[in-house]
Amino acid sequence: MTGTIVARLRESARTAWQIVRGVVGENAYERYLEHHRRTHPDEEPLPEREFWRRHVDRQDATPGSRCC
C-alpha cells in the first residue's frame, strides 16, 4: 500500500512540475520540436541554443504584456 501512495505522489509531483514548466515557458523548445516534427518533417529544427536566442529576441522586439 505504501508503494502505491508513493507512486501516486511521484506522479502528482511530476504532473505539477510539467504544469509549472508550461506556465513559465520552460517547455517552449519541446513544444517547438513537436510542432516542427508535425509541420516540417523534412527540415532540420533549430538547435536549442539558436531557438532560445530567437525566442528572447522576439520577446524583446514585441514585449506585449509581461511583468518585466
Side-chain angles (χ1 to χ4, degrees):
M1 182 184 277
T2 303
T4 304
I5 294 170
V6 171
R8 287 182 184 171
L9 286 172
R10 282 187 180 143
E11 185 59 33
S12 295
R14 191 173 297 122
T15 300
W17 181 245
Q18 291 304 317
I19 291 169
V20 168
R21 289 183 71 226
V23 169
V24 299
E26 186 179 313
N27 65 353
Y29 184 67
E30 294 162 7
R31 288 193 329 264
Y32 160 74
L33 289 176
E34 290 173 17
H35 167 79
H36 197 276
R37 275 188 217 109
R38 283 192 317 271
T39 59
H40 310 285
D42 54 334
E43 296 177 19
E44 192 71 25
L46 292 173
E48 187 171 7
R49 187 177 182 129
E50 179 64 21
F51 167 83
W52 286 112
R53 182 177 299 124
R54 291 183 185 192
H55 182 75
V56 170
D57 288 348
R58 187 171 36 254
Q59 285 181 332
D60 287 345
T62 56
S65 61
R66 58 179 191 191
C67 67
C68 313

